[in-house]
Amino acid sequence: MLSFATATCEAVPLPHVMPSGRATLTDYETVRRMIEFISTEYRSQPSLAEIAEAVGRSEETLTTLLKRWAGLTPKAFLQAVTLDHARRLLDDGASLLDAAYEVGFSGPSRLHDLFVKHEAVSPGDYKARGQGIDLFYGYHPTPFGLAIVVATERGLAGIGFADPTDGGEATALEDMRRRWPRARFIADAPRTLPFARRIFEPSRWQEERPLKIVLIGTDFEIRVWQSLLEIPFGRATTYSTIADKIGVPKAARAVGAAVGRNPVSFVVPCHRVLGKSGALTGYHWGITRKRAMLGWESGVLARD
DNA sequence: CAAAATATGTACG
DNA sequence: CGTACATATTTTG
């Protein structure tokens, strides 16, 4: 059974993704290398000098970059990327999703606020796979690399990553085509640019209307994706917690599969779902990017 | 309809 | 720490 869900996403701004949108691709590449190096050499507790050496940038460059990218010092960033830290994001376990509702609208901390409207569509559209829908797409820089942004008339439908390390633009588009094989894809960057800006340029988040997103998936997928929207900014939950939440406690694995099919990465925060141990188990766009997103969110919160 | 495939979780050496 | 298996759901033939 297929349904459409329209979610309006009213968000409190995330500080500083550079307002000018400059040189993000290179910045992310540097961050990516850092995370990869740290993950591999995790045991040896590498010093900043060693990290700088490994990624081929100076210590000063790294410090400035991280400060701008996530608001963190290299040392703090290093900590934000460990397993220990990920575990801490989980701590209240099963109550987390409920707690999100209570805490999300008050307090000094900056949180994502998400309001979701649900709109069902006839089951006959199950096989449509995007039939009859026009999808406009464009490529735009983000803090996590070059992204493909896909939108319908009604709102944002997809975000994917298109960095050279992801296989580039063609691969990213191919990935989107696989999700909606029968939709008509129309290159229209001017049309998708506002979405990219609205999502990744915090200064715009308050000025403009709530972000509309269109989720196209099965009932089960929609339920899972809606649970994702309830996870507070800078926090995380587990596959099994979501399974509990949607009333199918033993379906952790099915939840994982559904989370993996989320087409609107970052906005529907599938990067905030971890294994029960706190381990980063999988991510469509690469574990490194998942780690980067979590580290970035930690940095944003650590600022206040 | 049956079988394969999962971004899991847990138990057992 | 690896391996084995239970499990729910979707996809595919």
Side-chain angles (χ1 to χ4, degrees), chain A residues 24-32 69 143-145 163 288-289 292:
Chain A
T24 337
L25 192 123
T26 308
D27 286 355
Y28 177 68
E29 173 60 18
T30 305
V31 170
R32 193 188 64 75
W69 189 80
F144 307 104
D163 245 21
T288 299
R289 188 172 267 109

Side-chain angles (χ1 to χ4, degrees), chain A residues 51-302:
Chain A
I51 297 172
E53 168 76 22
V55 302
R57 310 290 290 264
S58 73
E59 296 182 38
E60 293 75 23
T61 308
L62 291 188
T63 307
T64 331
L65 169 62
L66 283 180
K67 194 73 188 169
R68 188 182 58 209
W69 189 80
L72 288 176
T73 64
K75 189 182 171 185
F77 181 72
L78 208 142
Q79 292 213 321
V81 163
T82 60
L83 174 64
D84 242 26
H85 177 263
R87 245 196 281 267
R88 224 168 307 131
L89 298 180
L90 289 174
D91 58 14
D92 20 304
S95 64
L96 179 56
L97 292 184
D98 295 323
Y101 270 130
E102 297 160 21
V103 176
F105 302 92
S106 59
S109 64
R110 307 170 173 218
L111 294 171
H112 247 68
D113 287 349
L114 300 155
F115 305 97
V116 177
K117 263 186 296 181
H118 194 92
E119 191 182 313
V121 145
S122 74
D125 286 336
Y126 172 67
K127 287 187 178 165
R129 309 289 272 165
Q131 175 99 42
I133 301 179
D134 283 346
L135 292 177
F136 307 95
Y137 69 92
Y139 303 93
H140 308 282
T142 78
F144 307 104
L146 186 66
I148 182 172
V149 176
V150 181
T152 71
E153 295 283 355
R154 303 169 50 194
L156 178 70
I159 297 182
F161 291 98
D163 245 21
T165 46
D166 300 308
E169 299 186 358
T171 305
L173 180 57
E174 194 47 45
D175 182 87
M176 287 299 166
R177 276 193 205 279
R178 248 195 326 265
R179 294 167 192 266
W180 304 291
R182 308 167 104 115
R184 189 158 55 136
F185 281 77
I186 303 163
D188 191 345
R191 193 161 190 149
T192 52
L193 177 62
F195 286 104
R197 278 223 258 264
R198 200 175 297 187
I199 295 160
F200 296 107
E201 280 186 29
S203 57
R204 303 192 172 242
W205 284 21
Q206 274 174 326
E207 297 164 7
E208 293 175 340
R209 294 199 310 268
L211 175 68
K212 276 194 208 156
I213 67 179
V214 182
L215 299 178
I216 307 171
T218 65
D219 278 353
F220 184 76
E221 287 169 345
I222 299 288
R223 273 191 294 158
V224 170
W225 296 341
Q226 284 188 322
S227 299
L228 297 185
L229 290 170
E230 292 173 13
I231 309 171
F233 182 88
R235 301 297 305 273
T237 189
T238 67
Y239 297 96
S240 54
T241 304
I242 293 179
D244 284 343
K245 180 74 180 179
I246 64 177
V248 203
K250 292 177 183 170
R253 195 161 187 164
V255 167
V259 170
R261 262 176 256 120
N262 163 38
V264 201
S265 89
F266 189 76
V267 173
V268 175
C270 47
H271 56 282
R272 296 187 199 141
V273 191
L274 313 178
K276 200 154 204 166
S277 67
L280 279 69
T281 40
Y283 193 61
H284 187 81
W285 304 105
I287 305 273
T288 299
R289 188 172 267 109
K290 189 172 182 174
R291 218 180 281 279
M293 287 177 173
L294 291 172
W296 187 75
E297 293 192 351
S298 302
V300 168
L301 291 183

